[in-house]
Amino acid sequence: MFIGREQELRTLNQLYASGKFEFAVIYGRRRVGKTALINEFIKGKDAIFFTGVETNAKQNLENFSQCIMDYQGSDSLGVTFPSFQAALESVFRVAKSQRVILVIDEYPYVAHAAKSLASTLQLLIDKHHADSKLFLILCGSSMSYMEDQVLAYKAPLYGRRTAQLKIRPFDFFEVCRYFTGLSPKDKALAYGMIGGTPQYLQQMDVHLSIEENIKRLFLSPASAVFEEPLNLLKQEVREPSVYNAIMTAIASGYSKMNEIASKVGEDSSVCAIYLKNLITLGIVKKETPFGEKAGRKTIYSMEDPMFRFWYRFVPPNISLIARGATELAYNRIAPELSAYMGGIFEEICKQYLWKQLLEGKCAVNFRDVGRWWGANPKTRAQEEIDLMGDDNDAALFAECKWTNEKVDLPVLDTLITRSELFRYPKKHFYLFAKTGFTKACKEKAAAMGNVSLTVYEDMLKR
């Protein structure tokens, strides 16, 4: 089942409709659905789809040649072009008179094996683009390769592309479209444990409870998800053991650079390089208090929910899991799920605010939104605001509560007090609650007139 990606499909179809030479670069982490997107786009269109494999140039050229022969309807099995340049020239010839899409999926595999491929493409694009109807798509999962060797200023193909699409995991609201059979609460829990990567979503069984899915996917060494974080690291980076140690440290609560470096046993300068790569992969995120520049307050946290869940709960219970003690492992995890979901709920609320902004329904037309933390200059106590965003003279302040109790008046009062640390002429307050709000909280919110109270289930209503 193909869902979402409306914006990406719209972009690709607009490029296709131009009728002239187009060159799109599509990249993103493995399992994120790049190939599915391309397959959806090329339905009903003339297309040559070639997937590179991790082998030598000869084998890839043979496979590419066969894809071209299949497109042309040739029965010439085993016929191979003498070079990639000859093969590509034949495609450009066909594209002089008709619209043709050429997809080279897993481009880094081919380019690694055929060192001159990028220069060859550069040569042929420069030679033919003015009178060509070819729509060239290069797709790759190696984030570093695509950014450094295809998109970067010094890359041979720099300046030739007409579009680039970085494919990211689905957000929470897109995931809800996939899990139509789950209850509202279970949709949040499912997102918290599996995230928005399409291939991981497919591993969920909506006919089972969240508890059973956790046991089946994360507490069973036989599951496809169980070794996924380690396998992905092995495919994407060198020294996966160091990356693994860094993510384990972050998931255990070590968030500052010096804390992570000390826990891992590496210099901060070394950890900074590893963290930069993890950020590029979309697994880790770097945060600073909203409105402040990077500095001593900078922290690191897990961005991808599946990795966050895995590193939070699997390593501490690995001995039990290895011995098949699934029930015992789950009984250790279950009491911590509500606290774990607190951070996930903040992210869901953040995505909701962006959704409201794009739909023209947000009380503040913010430019960005994020967490804030720091010292109160009057009390010298550390304060935290779950979410805040601003736009010149207006700001929003939000508190997110994933608890079974209704949110009471003190939560609103505390948020108002903390907002006084900032001087904005106009302020709007958001309270997000899993369950609801007390009568006293509702009454004060109504009296103030600049407070939005939102129950989680209402966020799912279109």
Side-chain angles (χ1 to χ4, degrees):
M1 178 178 68
F2 186 87
I3 63 166
R5 306 299 187 204
E6 287 89 355
Q7 183 176 340
E8 291 87 348
L9 284 170
R10 186 161 52 249
T11 298
L12 291 171
N13 280 310
Q14 286 171 350
L15 293 169
Y16 182 82
S18 75
K20 62 183 182 180
F21 175 79
E22 301 286 359
F23 172 21
V25 177
I26 299 177
Y27 68 114
R29 210 176 68 209
R30 298 178 193 279
R31 330 286 196 240
V32 82
K34 301 179 298 300
T35 302
L37 167 66
I38 295 171
N39 280 327
E40 184 70 15
F41 164 63
I42 65 175
K43 281 183 180 177
K45 301 179 178 75
D46 282 349
I48 302 168
F49 197 113
F50 164 58
T51 301
V53 292
E54 202 168 6
T55 183
N56 59 18
K58 181 177 181 295
Q59 182 64 62
N60 274 304
L61 179 57
E62 289 176 0
N63 294 345
F64 185 34
S65 300
Q66 190 59 56
C67 290
I68 296 172
M69 295 297 174
D70 290 344
Y71 168 77
Q72 295 176 342
S74 172
D75 294 328
S76 304
L77 291 175
V79 173
T80 304
F81 287 95
S83 65
F84 275 102
Q85 181 167 341
L88 289 164
E89 285 275 18
S90 74
V91 177
F92 272 101
R93 279 196 299 272
V94 173
K96 271 198 170 187
S97 58
Q98 64 188 78
R99 193 57 156 163
V100 178
I101 302 169
L102 171 61
V103 179
I104 302 181
D105 198 4
E106 295 298 354
Y107 171 76
Y109 287 154
V110 192
H112 270 304
K115 301 297 184 185
S116 63
L117 179 58
S119 297
T120 299
L121 280 168
Q122 175 192 353
L123 172 70
L124 296 179
I125 290 171
D126 290 348
K127 178 181 177 182
H128 296 292
H129 76 277
D131 60 352
S132 177
K133 296 182 179 181
L134 180 67
F135 188 167
L136 173 64
I137 297 176
L138 299 187
C139 181
S141 299
S142 175
M143 302 277 280
S144 58
Y145 189 93
M146 296 299 288
E147 291 183 344
D148 296 341
Q149 304 299 321
V150 180
L151 300 173
Y153 177 76
K154 293 183 179 180
L157 291 171
Y158 180 80
R160 275 77 183 175
R161 70 184 184 277
T162 55
Q164 65 187 60
L165 287 78
K166 185 175 184 179
I167 310 303
R168 304 176 188 276
F170 292 136
D171 69 16
F172 170 69
F173 296 97
E174 290 172 312
V175 168
C176 287
R177 293 167 60 185
Y178 190 89
F179 290 138
T180 54
L182 295 182
S183 69
K185 177 186 172 183
D186 283 352
K187 286 177 180 178
L189 290 168
Y191 179 72
M193 64 181 274
I194 211 70
T197 300
Q199 191 160 327
Y200 305 156
L201 293 174
Q202 293 174 8
Q203 304 301 318
M204 284 282 294
D205 188 338
V206 296
H207 302 294
L208 299 177
S209 66
I210 294 296
E211 176 181 339
E212 289 302 319
N213 272 293
I214 291 174
K215 292 176 182 177
R216 187 175 64 89
L217 298 178
F218 292 92
L219 306 183
S220 169
S223 83
V225 172
F226 183 76
E227 292 189 352
E228 174 61 16
L230 300 181
N231 287 337
L232 187 139
L233 286 177
K234 290 175 184 176
Q235 292 174 324
E236 293 287 353
V237 301
R238 298 174 184 174
E239 302 182 46
S241 59
V242 180
Y243 286 93
N244 187 49
I246 287 173
M247 287 192 286
T248 300
I250 293 172
S252 301
Y254 299 87
S255 59
K256 295 182 178 180
M257 178 67 77
N258 62 333
E259 295 174 346
I260 297 168
S262 176
K263 179 66 175 176
V264 174
E266 298 281 356
D267 290 338
S268 293
S269 58
V270 174
C271 283
I273 297 171
Y274 289 112
L275 284 165
K276 181 181 178 182
N277 292 335
L278 289 170
I279 291 168
T280 299
L281 289 171
I283 297 173
V284 167
K285 62 183 175 181
K286 179 180 180 179
E287 294 182 276
T288 55
F290 180 84
E292 299 183 21
K293 295 181 180 179
R296 289 184 299 172
K297 290 184 180 180
T298 298
I299 62 172
Y300 297 86
S301 58
M302 304 294 285
E303 180 167 17
D304 186 282
M306 193 280 281
F307 281 79
R308 184 189 298 190
F309 190 92
W310 195 96
Y311 278 96
R312 174 67 185 83
F313 295 117
V314 172
N317 294 290
I318 195 67
S319 296
L320 291 174
I321 296 168
R323 287 165 175 76
T326 304
E327 290 295 330
L328 185 55
Y330 180 78
N331 289 338
R332 289 187 178 182
I333 292 171
E336 300 181 42
L337 283 177
S338 183
Y340 169 81
M341 283 299 298
I344 297 295
F345 188 49
E346 281 185 23
E347 177 58 31
I348 290 172
C349 295
K350 182 179 179 179
Q351 293 177 17
Y352 176 77
L353 286 172
W354 276 111
K355 185 169 177 282
Q356 291 289 98
L357 178 74
L358 296 176
E359 293 174 356
K361 299 176 182 177
C362 190
V364 175
N365 292 322
F366 59 84
R367 294 165 293 188
D368 199 3
V369 63
R371 289 198 294 155
W372 179 88
W373 61 93
N376 185 322
K378 293 182 179 179
T379 64
R380 302 200 177 196
Q382 289 295 312
E383 306 279 15
E384 183 176 337
I385 298 172
D386 287 346
L387 295 171
M388 69 173 289
D390 68 357
D391 176 28
N392 297 321
D393 63 344
L396 67 84
F397 301 87
E399 188 73 16
C400 315
K401 294 294 183 183
W402 186 262
T403 62
N404 291 327
E405 296 78 28
K406 290 185 176 182
V407 172
D408 204 356
L409 185 56
V411 175
L412 177 56
D413 289 337
T414 299
L415 183 61
I416 294 169
T417 300
R418 289 175 178 171
S419 77
E420 292 170 359
L421 295 170
F422 303 88
R423 295 182 179 179
Y424 290 96
K426 301 175 184 177
K427 296 180 181 179
H428 195 92
F429 303 95
Y430 282 87
L431 293 186
F432 296 98
K434 173 187 176 183
T435 307
F437 304 91
T438 63
K439 181 180 178 182
C441 188
K442 291 178 180 178
E443 288 176 347
K444 180 160 185 176
M448 289 179 62
N450 63 338
V451 180
S452 296
L453 304 182
T454 306
V455 179
Y456 162 66
E457 290 195 19
D458 291 338
M459 295 162 65
L460 303 185
K461 297 174 181 177
R462 300 188 69 85

